[in-house]
């Protein structure tokens, strides 16, 4: 067991980028990543856990660099056959990726938990971090839109995030429990920081925050909670974060993200391009370049974020 541990709360593509930076700079076994499962769904009879798989593939250095999800050097024979025979093709399942969904589905049907299956996949992929589903209970993100309520993947992939969003709900969350692994990671005596990755606050982090007891676990840990801004220069790097903020009637600013997280966080990592918002943010701010173009950027952002968290711990001790 490492002398200090770190917990990251993450969605998919954006969160996995910082998680990889953390993995590369921390000692082996020091990192636990609690991953959103609100995007999970059943498709063609298979259990798909997109954010868990994005985390697995990114940390195993086998993610498709163009999309940020799915495997690199993927082949698409199954999808081509589907298309030829009039099968559903809106959700792209690569041939290599299919193995993961098939095996996950089989093991879940035989009674294993998503946590157990994920831990085994991570071990087989040679990943020295814990990848923890936020819950082993079913939670489904539902998106209220101009076209009525849509399932998450219907909104995100099938409708390409086009319908205007008027609200979100996390079906099942009120009765769901944080996974045992998440509870243990947040309860670790040597936990030194909790990082809210630069994931979409409304789609990726809010499902985690909707789990009963999650906030209490974060607070009871005593570790500083630091969020990394998902906006760079007032825009999302990828995905619908800015579009959703505008549709929900919020200013598209890092300040609105900080207000959204309100009393969940102790510090905020703000992108240098958004320096003008520093004075609006009513908590300690680290101003730095948060754009992660390559692995060096990810390591650097992970490192300065952990230093910032350590500074918050010292501040708290002398306050
Ligand atoms: P998804 O679940 O696959 O949509 O991915 P996440 O929710 O984990 O991440 C989406 C968010 O990541 C978006 O708000 C992006 O702006 C943000 N993001 C992606 N890459 C970067 C980056 O390099 N730096 C920062 N600061 N944010 C990023
Ligand atoms: N995203 C897409 O935009 N189109 C796809 O066809 C698609 C397929 C897919 C298959 C497996 C998987 O693990 C992820 C996949 N994603 C796809 C990404 C994913 O649905 C979203 O990025 C997340 O759910 C948002 O976090």
């Amino acid at each position: 067991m490492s002398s200090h541990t770190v917990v990251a709360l993450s969605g998919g593509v954006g969160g996995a980028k910082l998680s990889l930076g953390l993995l590369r700079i921390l000692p082996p076994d020091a990192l636990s990543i609690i991953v959103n499962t609100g995007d999970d769904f059943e498709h063609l009879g298979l259990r798909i856990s997109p954010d868990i798989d994005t985390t697995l593939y990114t940390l195993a250095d086998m993610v498709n660099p163009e999309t940020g999800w799915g495997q690199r050097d993927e082949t698409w024979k199954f999808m081509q056959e589907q298309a030829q025979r009039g099968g559903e093709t809106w959700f792209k399942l690569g041939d290599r990726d299919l193995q993961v969904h098939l095996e996950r589905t089989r093991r879940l049907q035989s009674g294993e938990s998503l946590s157990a299956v994920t831990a085994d996949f991570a071990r087989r992929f040679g990943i020295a971090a814990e990848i923890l589903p936020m819950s082993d209970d079913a939670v489904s993100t539902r998106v209220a839109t101009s076209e009525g309520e849509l399932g998450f993947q219907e909104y995100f992939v099938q409708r390409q995030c086009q319908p205007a969003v008027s609200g979100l709900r996390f079906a099942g969350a009120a009765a769901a429990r944080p996974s045992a692994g998440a509870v243990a990671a947040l309860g670790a005596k040597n936990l030194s920081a909790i990082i809210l990755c630069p994931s979409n606050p409304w789609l990726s982090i809010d499902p985690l925050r909707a789990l009963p007891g999650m906030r209490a676990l974060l607070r009871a840990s005593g570790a500083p909670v630091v969020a990394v801004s998902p906006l760079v220069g007032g825009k999302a790097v990828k995905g619908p974060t800015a579009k959703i903020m505008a549709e929900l009637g919020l200013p598209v600013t890092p300040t609105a993200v900080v207000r959204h997280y309100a009393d969940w966080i102790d510090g905020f990592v703000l992108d240098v391009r958004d320096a003008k918002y520093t004075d609006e943010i009513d908590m300690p701010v680290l101003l730095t370049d948060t754009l992660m173009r390559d692995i060096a950027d990810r390591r650097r952002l992970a490192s300065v974020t952990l230093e910032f968290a350590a500074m918050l711990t010292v501040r708290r001790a002398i306050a």
Side-chain angles (χ1 to χ4, degrees):
M1 168 76 72
S2 295
S3 60
H4 290 289
T5 60
V6 172
V7 169
L9 270 49
S10 178
V13 177
K17 283 164 80 175
L18 183 60
S19 296
L20 180 61
L22 288 164
L23 178 69
R24 290 286 169 85
I25 64 163
L26 285 166
D29 304 326
L31 177 64
S32 301
I33 309 159
I34 305 178
V35 182
N36 170 40
T37 54
D39 299 5
D40 291 20
F41 76 132
E42 198 173 302
H43 185 60
L44 306 179
L46 301 174
R47 269 290 304 273
I48 318 281
S49 293
D51 287 355
I52 285 178
D53 290 350
T54 295
T55 309
L56 284 168
Y57 297 160
T58 304
L59 269 49
D61 208 9
M62 52 197 273
V63 80
N64 178 334
E66 270 95 52
T67 55
W69 54 266
Q71 294 191 25
R72 110 174 48 229
D73 302 324
E74 186 55 280
T75 59
W76 300 95
K77 289 209 166 64
F78 167 71
M79 272 339 261
Q80 286 155 8
E81 296 290 321
Q82 272 286 94
Q84 272 177 19
R85 290 178 182 72
E88 277 201 348
T89 55
W90 64 270
F91 195 79
K92 307 267 176 295
L93 295 173
D95 301 330
R96 291 199 168 90
D97 191 34
L98 260 182
Q99 184 279 327
V100 170
H101 308 306
L102 280 160
E103 186 60 5
R104 174 190 296 116
T105 306
R106 182 191 72 75
R107 290 175 66 163
L108 290 175
Q109 281 172 354
S110 76
E112 281 185 69
S113 68
L114 183 60
S115 289
V117 176
T118 306
D120 187 52
F121 285 1
R123 187 183 59 77
R124 287 171 191 274
F125 285 170
I127 297 169
E130 264 192 319
I131 301 180
L132 305 164
M134 66 179 193
S135 179
D136 281 306
D137 303 320
V139 177
S140 300
T141 299
R142 311 280 309 168
V143 190
T145 76
S146 44
E147 299 178 4
E149 189 175 84
L150 301 175
F152 181 82
Q153 299 298 342
E154 252 180 295
Y155 161 75
F156 200 92
V157 175
Q158 200 168 23
R159 298 290 296 111
Q160 300 276 296
C161 308
Q162 277 164 12
V165 174
S166 52
L168 291 142
R169 70 182 179 96
F170 308 108
R177 289 150 303 170
S179 63
V183 173
L186 290 166
K189 290 220 164 22
N190 53 353
L191 179 62
S192 61
I194 300 171
I195 312 296
L196 266 58
C197 288
S199 291
N200 186 318
W202 285 268
L203 297 183
S204 295
I205 302 294
D206 279 3
L208 280 136
R209 298 201 307 140
L211 295 175
M214 198 53 128
R215 184 172 180 279
L217 285 168
L218 261 61
R219 285 291 147 221
S221 76
V225 184
V226 170
V228 178
S229 180
L231 296 177
V232 175
K235 294 188 193 129
V237 178
K238 190 172 188 263
T241 306
K243 180 174 181 281
I244 289 177
M245 291 177 80
E247 290 164 355
L248 292 176
L250 298 164
V252 185
T253 64
T255 318
V257 173
V258 173
R259 294 201 175 125
H260 184 66
Y261 286 144
D263 57 352
W264 277 67
I265 60 174
D266 305 304
F268 190 71
V269 180
L270 178 68
D271 191 86
V272 273
R273 298 159 191 83
D274 297 314
K276 65 180 176 196
Y277 296 107
T278 310
D279 292 343
E280 282 181 22
I281 298 174
D282 196 14
M283 66 173 61
V285 167
L286 171 70
L287 197 58
T288 191
D289 187 349
T290 72
L291 190 59
M292 295 174 279
R293 287 150 290 223
D294 54 23
I295 185 64
D297 290 342
R298 296 171 196 210
R299 293 177 65 124
R300 195 198 61 81
L301 182 58
S303 173
V304 296
T305 301
L306 292 181
E307 281 165 21
F308 179 52
M311 188 275 288
L312 294 177
T313 306
V314 172
R315 255 174 73 129
R316 203 182 272 172
I318 57 178

